[in-house]
Amino acid sequence: MKLASLKQGRDGHLVVVADDLSTYADASAIAQTMQAALDDWAGVAPKLKALAANLARGTVTGAAFDEAAAAAPLPRAYQWADGSAYVNHVKLVRQARGAELPESFWHDPLVYQGGSDGFLGPRDAIPLADESWGCDMEAEVVVVTDDVPQGVTREEALDLIRLVGLVNDVSLRNLIPAELAKGFGFYQSKPASALSPVFVTPDGLGDCWQDGKLHGVLNVDLNGQPFGRADAGVDMTFDFGTLIAHLAKTRALAAGTIVGSGTVSNRDADGGPGRPVAQGGHGYSCLAELRMVETIRYGKPETAFLRHGDSVRIGMSDADGRPIFGTIDQTVREIA
Amino acid sequence: MKLASLKQGRDGHLVVVADDLSTYADASAIAQTMQAALDDWAGVAPKLKALAANLARGTVTGAAFDEAAAAAPLPRAYQWADGSAYVNHVKLVRQARGAELPESFWHDPLVYQGGSDGFLGPRDAIPLADESWGCDMEAEVVVVTDDVPQGVTREEALDLIRLVGLVNDVSLRNLIPAELAKGFGFYQSKPASALSPVFVTPDGLGDCWQDGKLHGVLNVDLNGQPFGRADAGVDMTFDFGTLIAHLAKTRALAAGTIVGSGTVSNRDADGGPGRPVAQGGHGYSCLAELRMVETIRYGKPETAFLRHGDSVRIGMSDADGRPIFGTIDQTVREIA
C-alpha cells in the first residue's frame, strides 16, 4: 500500500496512491492525516488497504496523482532521528581528514536527533539564504514507526515499522565543523529535509524489503546528470531494527517517529573510495562524499556545494523501472 | 492567562486555569488541544482570554484543578530545542574536568535538538531502567513559540513567544560522555522530560517576564529538602529572543516549538562555585552541578545521582508565595 499527503493546511490530506503512482483515492474519511492514521494504525490500516484494493480494481475511481501537489507524507512529525548506518560513509569522512574510525562505530550506531517540525514537500525548493553555508543533499532511506516501547529488541522493532520512504536530508556542511566542535550536535547545520511523495508499507515493497533494509539502487541526479547509483541494501551496517532498538534503549518512541538510515554509500568493488558514476562506479548520495574522495585522491575537494539554481533528484525504481516512492526533485532557491 | 492539558488521549484536553490554580474551565469548544490553539493563536487566544476572564469573574463555574490529572501542556510537540543559556553552568562543567571555557561560548549560544515526541506529565514517574545510567534532573525555564520565520531578529522573536513554563529535562549523565564523544550530540542520554502543569502567557506573568527572561526563584527540592533556589532572571547570558533567533538562522520553526533555557544556575556572590542552600547559597538546579562543585572543592563528587524512589520537585512562586506554573513533582520509578 502506498500513502501520500496532498498539500492542505499544516498536515496535508491523506490519500491512498495506486502502485504505479498514476492515481489516488481520497482517504480522509478513514483518517484525515497521515499522523492520525499512524495514531491508530491497527484500526485504520485495514480500511486503507481495502480502499487501495478498490482503487486497484477500479471499483473506486481515482483522480490523477500529481507529485507536485504532494506535501511531505508527514509535513510535520513528532520525531526525526537519523542514523549513520552506512559506516563506509563515516569512514570516508574521517579518512579525508586523516582520522581513524573508532572500532566501536562498527557495532554502536551513530545517530542524531533531527528537527521534525517542518519537512519540505518532494518538489519544494530548498530555501538557502547563503551559498557560503555549503549546502549539500543527502539521499537516505527512512522508516516510520508505530508506538515503540522502551527497551524493544531488534526483532520487535522490525514488526513496528509501518512505512518506508526516502529523504533528502539537507545539510549545511560549512556550518557543521564549528557546530559539532561545541559538542552538542547539529542544529543550524541541519535545516528542513524533504520527504519522498509517497511512503509504502513494508508488505508493498516485496523483495525490496528484507532483513530490515530497503534493497535497490538509490538514484541521485545532480542538475540532470547521474550522480549516485548506490544500492541501499548493500553496506548498511545497521538495519532499521537495530537502529530503532538503539533509539528506544532509554525511552519510548511515539507513533509517527521517522528514522533515517544516514547517507547511502557503497564501497567500490576493490574496497577503495568509490568512483563517480561516469567512471563506472556507484557514485555518491551527497556532495561531501565526492569531495572526500577528491581530497583523498588529489589533496583537496574540487566539486562545489550546491548553488542557487542547482537541482537534485532522488528516487528508486522497481524491477520494471517505475519509481517506487515517486521522485524528490528540488531546486535550490535564494531567499532573503 | 494560564493553560493546561488534562490527561486524555495522545494530546490531552485543553483547559483554561484560574490564576491561583484552584479551578479550570473546559476550553475544548475553542480548541481541542494546546497544539490546535497554537496552530491558530491569533484566532484562538482572544476566545481563551475571554473564557479566562469569565472564570475569574465567576460567570463561568470552574471545576477543581488537580495537577495530578494534568498531562504535559504539550504531551507531544513538533520541536524541542534546549539551550544552555546559563553559561556559568557550562563553565562549572568544564572547570570540573580542567577544561577552559571557549570565549565564544559567551556570545554564541549552545543548543541541542531534543526529542519532542513524548513529554511526561508533571506528576508522572521518571521511568529508569538502570540506576547506573546516572539519572539527573535539570530544572529549566521553557517558552513556546508561534510560527517563527527563518532569519528573525531577537526583537521579532520576543513577539512570537506565546507561553512560558518549566521543564525537568531528565538526563542520563553516565551515558553522556560516550555519546558526546561520538560527535553527534545527545540521544540515549536524554530520555523524556517533564513539563509543568500549567503554561502561562507572557502578559500573565507581570514583572516576572522582562527582557525575554523569566525572573524569580526556581525552587528545586530533592527528597523534600531544598536543593536549588537560583533566580532564573540572573546570570542568563542569552535571553529567549536571542535563543530563538539563533535557532531560526537557517530554518523556520513551527508553531508549538518548545525552547529551553538550559539548567538555571547562579554564581555565588563572590563569583565562585555556588554553595548549597543549607549553607546560605543559591544551591543547584541539577545534581551534576553540585557534583562539579564537590569535584572542584574535594577532588571528586560525593553526591549520588537519582536512585529509584528519589523525588524531585520543581516550581516557582509569585510574590504572594503561590506557585505560578504548578509543581513538577516526580518520583524515579524502576522499570523492567
Side-chain angles (χ1 to χ4, degrees):
Chain A
M1 177 169 63
K2 301 193 177 189
L3 299 174
S5 298
L6 299 187
K7 289 190 175 201
Q8 184 185 311
R10 291 181 180 269
D11 294 301
H13 174 111
L14 185 65
V15 298
V16 168
V17 182
D19 280 350
D20 66 0
L21 307 184
S22 62
T23 59
Y24 75 89
D26 180 1
S28 62
I30 299 169
Q32 289 228 314
T33 65
M34 188 77 78
Q35 184 64 49
L38 289 158
D39 283 348
D40 180 26
W41 189 255
V44 166
K47 295 174 192 168
L48 294 173
K49 288 194 176 182
L51 179 59
N54 284 331
L55 180 65
R57 272 196 296 266
T59 49
V60 162
T61 305
F65 180 62
D66 175 9
E67 295 185 18
L74 284 165
R76 52 181 181 172
Y78 294 107
Q79 157 111 245
W80 159 229
D82 196 11
S84 285
Y86 298 85
V87 179
N88 182 53
H89 168 80
V90 182
K91 192 177 174 189
L92 280 176
V93 180
R94 300 206 161 222
Q95 194 178 339
R97 57 177 158 97
E100 283 292 303
L101 184 79
E103 199 276 329
S104 64
F105 277 43
W106 293 102
H107 52 81
D108 179 32
L110 183 62
V111 298
Y112 75 87
Q113 182 82 65
S116 59
D117 59 321
F119 285 96
L120 302 173
R123 305 299 169 93
D124 290 351
I126 299 171
L128 179 65
D130 189 338
E131 286 184 344
S132 77
W133 290 345
C135 186
D136 198 359
M137 72 277 199
E138 293 191 39
E140 310 186 7
V141 179
V142 294
V143 301
V144 181
T145 73
D146 207 323
D147 288 301
V148 177
Q150 185 174 337
V152 288
T153 64
R154 168 185 175 269
E155 289 69 28
E156 290 164 342
L158 286 175
D159 283 340
L160 295 169
I161 294 172
R162 297 292 169 248
L163 297 166
V164 181
L166 305 178
V167 67
N168 179 13
D169 178 46
V170 180
S171 295
L172 300 173
R173 298 289 185 190
N174 293 338
L175 301 186
I176 289 179
E179 196 154 53
L180 294 194
K182 294 199 288 183
F184 277 15
F186 307 99
Y187 195 96
Q188 291 181 336
S189 50
K190 291 283 186 181
S193 295
L195 301 177
S196 55
V198 161
F199 278 4
V200 186
T201 51
D203 66 4
L205 290 166
D207 291 345
C208 291
W209 183 252
Q210 283 182 52
D211 303 322
K213 300 179 186 180
L214 181 66
H215 295 258
V217 173
L218 189 61
N219 298 310
V220 182
D221 291 355
L222 176 64
N223 294 325
Q225 298 299 313
F227 187 79
R229 293 294 184 267
D231 191 309
V234 173
D235 289 334
M236 189 183 186
T237 305
F238 305 106
D239 66 74
F240 280 106
T242 302
L243 289 176
I244 295 166
H246 178 86
L247 298 175
K249 181 184 172 189
T250 62
R251 58 164 156 135
L253 309 175
T257 289
I258 304 175
V259 180
S261 66
T263 305
V264 174
S265 174
N266 290 170
R267 271 187 291 263
D268 238 12
D270 65 2
R275 283 164 298 148
V277 174
Q279 296 173 24
H282 302 293
Y284 317 98
S285 302
C286 66
L287 288 163
E289 193 164 312
L290 171 56
R291 289 166 55 92
M292 290 183 279
V293 169
E294 290 168 346
T295 301
I296 292 165
R297 291 225 169 108
Y298 316 121
K300 65 180 178 58
E302 305 198 329
T303 303
F305 287 120
L306 296 174
R307 297 197 174 106
H308 295 136
D310 282 345
S311 70
V312 177
R313 285 171 59 97
I314 298 169
M316 181 180 287
S317 298
D318 64 16
D320 300 322
R322 295 181 308 191
I324 300 172
F325 305 99
T327 307
I328 296 172
D329 192 348
Q330 302 186 273
T331 299
V332 180
R333 191 185 65 201
E334 183 168 11
I335 62 160
Chain B
M1 176 170 63
K2 301 193 177 189
L3 299 174
S5 297
L6 299 187
K7 290 191 174 200
Q8 184 185 310
R10 291 181 180 269
D11 294 301
H13 174 112
L14 185 65
V15 298
V16 168
V17 181
D19 280 351
D20 67 359
L21 306 183
S22 62
T23 60
Y24 74 90
D26 181 1
S28 62
I30 299 169
Q32 287 227 314
T33 66
M34 188 76 78
Q35 183 64 49
L38 290 157
D39 283 349
D40 180 27
W41 189 255
V44 166
K47 296 175 191 167
L48 294 174
K49 288 194 176 182
L51 178 59
N54 284 330
L55 180 65
R57 273 196 295 266
T59 49
V60 162
T61 305
F65 180 62
D66 175 9
E67 295 185 19
L74 285 165
R76 52 181 181 173
Y78 294 109
Q79 158 114 242
W80 159 230
D82 197 11
S84 285
Y86 298 85
V87 179
N88 182 54
H89 168 79
V90 182
K91 192 177 175 189
L92 280 176
V93 180
R94 299 206 161 221
Q95 192 177 343
R97 56 179 159 96
E100 283 292 303
L101 183 78
E103 199 276 329
S104 65
F105 276 44
W106 292 102
H107 52 80
D108 179 32
L110 183 62
V111 299
Y112 75 88
Q113 181 83 65
S116 58
D117 60 320
F119 285 96
L120 302 173
R123 305 298 169 93
D124 290 351
I126 299 171
L128 179 65
D130 189 337
E131 287 184 344
S132 77
W133 291 344
C135 187
D136 198 358
M137 72 278 198
E138 293 190 40
E140 310 185 8
V141 180
V142 295
V143 300
V144 181
T145 72
D146 206 325
D147 288 303
V148 178
Q150 185 174 336
V152 288
T153 63
R154 168 186 176 268
E155 289 68 28
E156 290 164 342
L158 286 175
D159 282 339
L160 295 169
I161 294 172
R162 297 292 169 247
L163 298 166
V164 182
L166 306 178
V167 67
N168 178 12
D169 178 46
V170 180
S171 296
L172 301 173
R173 299 287 185 190
N174 293 338
L175 302 187
I176 289 179
E179 197 153 52
L180 293 194
K182 295 200 287 183
F184 277 16
F186 306 99
Y187 196 95
Q188 291 181 337
S189 49
K190 289 284 185 179
S193 295
L195 300 177
S196 55
V198 162
F199 279 4
V200 185
T201 52
D203 65 4
L205 290 166
D207 291 344
C208 291
W209 182 252
Q210 284 182 52
D211 303 322
K213 301 178 185 181
L214 181 66
H215 296 258
V217 173
L218 189 60
N219 298 310
V220 182
D221 290 354
L222 175 64
N223 293 325
Q225 298 300 312
F227 187 79
R229 294 293 183 268
D231 192 308
V234 174
D235 289 334
M236 188 182 188
T237 306
F238 305 107
D239 68 50
F240 280 107
T242 302
L243 290 176
I244 294 166
H246 178 87
L247 298 175
K249 180 185 172 188
T250 62
R251 58 165 155 134
L253 309 175
T257 289
I258 305 175
V259 180
S261 66
T263 304
V264 175
S265 175
N266 289 170
R267 273 188 289 264
D268 237 13
D270 64 2
R275 283 164 298 149
V277 175
Q279 296 173 25
H282 302 293
Y284 318 97
S285 301
C286 66
L287 289 162
E289 193 164 311
L290 172 55
R291 289 166 54 94
M292 292 182 278
V293 169
E294 290 168 346
T295 301
I296 292 166
R297 291 228 169 104
Y298 315 121
K300 65 180 178 61
E302 304 198 329
T303 303
F305 287 120
L306 296 173
R307 298 198 173 105
H308 295 136
D310 281 346
S311 69
V312 177
R313 285 171 59 97
I314 297 169
M316 182 181 287
S317 298
D318 63 17
D320 299 324
R322 296 180 308 190
I324 300 172
F325 306 99
T327 307
I328 295 172
D329 192 349
Q330 302 187 274
T331 300
V332 180
R333 191 186 64 202
E334 183 167 12
I335 62 160

